[in-house]
Amino acid sequence: MQFPYGNAALTLLVVSVLTGLGIGIVDVRKATRLDKPDIVFATFAKDHLPAYIPAIEKFEKENHCKVQLQYVDQPTVKGRLQAAMQVGAEVPDMVEILDGTMGTFTSGPLENVGFVDLTEKIKENGLADKLVKSRFGKWSSRGHLYALPHDVHPVMLAYRRDVCEQLGIDVSKLTTWDEFVRVGRQVTKDSDGDGVYDRYMIDLPADGGDALRLLMLQRGARLFDDKGNVCFDDELTAKTVCWYVRQTSGKSKISFPAGWGQNFAKTMQDATCLFFICPDWRTKQIQADVSAVKGKMALMPLPAWEPGGIRTSTWGGTGLAFPKQGKNFDLAWKLAMYLYYDPEQLGPRFLDNYILPPLTSAWTQPQFNEPDPFYSNQRRGMEYIKLAPQVPDEPAHTYAQTALGKLSEAYQNVVLHYEKNGDDGLEEFALAELKRCAERVRVMVDRNVFLRTDDRTSKGAAK
């Protein structure tokens, strides 16, 4: 494939890639720096490193090889890796990529995707039947799989058990969002009359953010359908957006935006909010950052949108991809199977990072059934395992970030309408805004001829 902008531009791009790849890259295991590695493994996930380092050392001894483990910041992975693959520069043999970024690498023809197509490999190894099936969509494009799923990330609610008991809140009855909101209206109030609410039912970001998206997923509303058509301008999405706006804006809101870091910790410690959206990985953050609430917290499934509906969603994810320019795919694949899908490692690793792996046979390891004193002696692993089969699929798409941006635009306009007009015409306005923003995304998708397939509909191109 020829570079479309000429040899001079190609030369400049090669130089910039080769000089820029080193920025933001740290050789984690400096002891191997002087040895020419057989495999280079790059990851953006700093929290994964403590588990990977001892496992890789054992793998090296058993396979008589050298593995260089690199910690790479996320912008480097998303931007420079794609450029390096396009110009034929040196790349890692295996690389972890963040949820939502696969579309960066699959925007062109399938034959030009820089990652090894793992579709048949996964079938040959039986992984299609061994892993949680909903996790494959994040790493696929047009029916081809380009990365191995690292996690499941079911979502629950973490809540201040002690305060809920003091207030007489029976969480076992909070089975639907309607009931949750009803109780939230009673809890969220100004107790001392100073004009400032003293307590809120739940932490929700005012801008929607990831919380709105995961609640849409739980309800069955997505940005794109299974054929890659833009679909976030349906009535289900409009109803979800309006529900969210009512809980985060106006006098009847039940939420407070706790944010992250110290603000989040203080909100939880002071019980300013009682409930917090909590994927598996966030249980680790809470335990590390808010130690004062040990034994005062507990976990419960998300309330369902309808009685008997699913009671979880998903937030985030990591995939492991193999650039085609890698030197030793067979050895890299062997390392991937060892790090990602060795049940004997996944049990102890869960106690370190609290991340539920997608390998269902690993869930029988005793560590997943251990009571956790921080969360009122609940068997935290089993609580998330119960919900894992319900985790909704979220297909990857080249224009996923664009769609999220337009969804946010529509959401902000709905907020302004609600603050000015209340419920008067709210859902009609929301649906109109979503249609306007979705149409903008459709235009962009439709221009990308590489994403079109024979079963393309009139509402957009296939993913």
Side-chain angles (χ1 to χ4, degrees):
M1 181 182 67
Q2 290 185 338
F3 192 70
Y5 305 112
N7 292 333
L10 175 60
T11 301
L12 290 173
L13 180 58
V14 171
V15 171
S16 65
V17 168
L18 291 176
T19 57
L21 278 174
I23 301 174
I25 298 176
V26 177
D27 184 354
V28 177
R29 303 168 65 239
K30 294 185 183 299
T32 64
R33 182 181 291 277
L34 298 178
D35 301 314
K36 185 176 180 181
D38 299 289
I39 299 175
V40 176
F41 174 25
T43 179
F44 71 92
K46 194 173 184 178
D47 291 344
H48 298 176
L49 297 177
Y52 288 168
I53 291 173
I56 286 175
E57 290 174 352
K58 183 178 179 182
F59 181 86
E60 288 177 324
K61 292 178 181 178
E62 293 178 350
N63 292 273
H64 309 289
C65 63
K66 290 293 182 182
V67 178
Q68 185 182 77
L69 179 60
Q70 296 179 346
Y71 172 60
V72 187
D73 59 48
Q74 176 55 28
T76 299
V77 175
K78 184 177 179 181
R80 297 192 183 115
L81 177 59
Q82 174 72 341
M85 290 191 296
Q86 288 178 337
V87 302
E90 187 173 349
V91 297
D93 299 280
M94 48 200 296
V95 57
E96 286 189 321
I97 57 178
L98 180 65
D99 175 33
T101 62
M102 177 55 77
T104 302
F105 304 95
T106 58
S107 59
L110 286 175
E111 60 269 24
N112 289 348
V113 175
F115 293 137
V116 174
D117 186 342
L118 304 177
T119 310
E120 294 304 319
K121 188 78 171 177
I122 286 173
K123 290 180 182 178
E124 292 171 3
N125 284 263
L127 291 177
D129 299 319
K130 296 177 181 178
L131 307 182
V132 176
K133 289 182 171 53
S134 64
R135 302 311 283 177
F136 288 119
K138 286 180 175 290
W139 314 112
S140 302
S141 180
R142 288 158 280 177
H144 296 260
L145 184 62
Y146 292 102
L148 297 170
H150 169 270
D151 40 56
V152 184
H153 292 334
V155 175
M156 300 183 75
L157 291 180
Y159 65 96
R160 283 292 301 267
R161 176 193 54 78
D162 56 333
V163 180
C164 285
E165 290 176 354
Q166 292 170 15
L167 296 174
I169 299 175
D170 184 353
V171 298
S172 68
K173 295 181 179 180
L174 303 179
T175 57
T176 66
W177 282 114
D178 285 344
E179 178 63 13
F180 187 90
V181 171
R182 187 190 69 79
V183 174
R185 297 276 187 265
Q186 300 172 359
V187 168
T188 305
K189 57 185 177 181
D190 173 15
S191 301
D192 54 16
D194 63 356
V196 179
Y197 287 170
D198 307 294
R199 179 166 291 138
Y200 297 83
M201 187 67 167
I202 188 171
D203 159 37
L204 291 175
D207 65 354
D210 290 306
L212 174 59
R213 182 166 62 107
L214 70 86
L215 290 172
M216 285 172 52
L217 282 173
Q218 182 198 10
R219 201 170 190 175
R222 301 193 308 197
L223 298 174
F224 300 90
D225 64 20
D226 290 334
K227 293 182 178 180
N229 299 314
V230 179
C231 65
F232 66 87
D233 55 347
D234 60 351
E235 291 187 3
L236 202 58
T237 303
K239 289 180 180 296
T240 309
V241 167
C242 291
W243 180 93
Y244 194 96
V245 169
R246 293 185 184 106
Q247 315 319 320
T248 56
S249 303
K251 295 181 179 180
S252 62
K253 67 181 179 181
I254 66 169
S255 71
F256 174 80
W260 298 86
Q262 293 183 353
N263 290 337
F264 178 87
K266 183 169 178 56
T267 300
M268 179 174 285
Q269 186 169 329
D270 294 347
T272 305
C273 289
L274 300 182
F275 293 82
F276 302 82
I277 291 177
C278 194
D280 52 359
W281 52 264
R282 205 177 199 188
T283 62
K284 174 71 171 181
Q285 292 183 355
I286 293 172
Q287 186 165 330
D289 297 341
V290 203
S291 58
V293 298
K294 179 180 180 180
K296 301 177 181 179
M297 301 297 297
L299 299 164
M300 62 166 281
L302 295 181
W305 285 106
E306 302 290 344
I310 68 170
R311 299 197 59 185
T312 191
S313 187
T314 186
W315 183 359
T318 298
L320 182 61
F322 304 82
K324 291 178 179 177
Q325 295 155 224
K327 302 181 295 296
N328 197 335
F329 173 76
D330 290 338
L331 187 60
W333 178 265
K334 187 174 183 179
L335 175 58
M337 294 301 100
Y338 180 70
L339 288 179
Y340 268 37
Y341 307 132
D342 176 18
E344 293 185 3
Q345 288 189 65
L346 297 179
R349 189 179 299 173
F350 179 72
L351 297 182
D352 291 331
N353 60 26
Y354 299 172
I355 294 175
L356 185 67
L359 183 71
T360 58
S361 62
W363 299 346
T364 60
Q365 296 294 310
Q367 292 84 358
F368 294 99
N369 199 36
E370 290 188 14
D372 188 337
F374 192 93
Y375 293 96
S376 303
N377 285 319
Q378 287 180 293
R379 287 174 168 78
R380 180 170 35 82
M382 295 308 300
E383 295 297 325
Y384 281 101
I385 285 172
K386 292 175 187 176
L387 297 171
Q390 301 180 38
V391 167
D393 185 20
E394 185 180 22
H397 197 282
T398 296
Y399 292 93
Q401 295 304 312
T402 301
L404 282 172
K406 300 306 288 186
L407 173 65
S408 178
E409 179 184 327
Y411 169 80
Q412 295 298 338
N413 288 335
V414 175
V415 171
L416 294 175
H417 183 279
Y418 182 69
E419 291 176 345
K420 181 179 180 181
N421 305 290
D423 270 313
D424 186 21
L426 182 65
E427 290 194 10
E428 293 82 357
F429 179 83
L431 187 59
E433 274 299 290
L434 289 168
K435 287 187 177 298
R436 180 184 65 82
C437 291
E439 192 58 34
R440 296 294 298 170
V441 182
R442 286 194 185 97
V443 170
M444 287 183 273
V445 173
D446 196 49
R447 287 172 179 167
N448 191 329
V449 297
F450 300 118
L451 300 185
R452 297 178 184 171
T453 61
D454 292 337
D455 62 356
R456 173 177 168 268
T457 75
S458 60
K459 281 197 170 186
K463 64 182 177 180

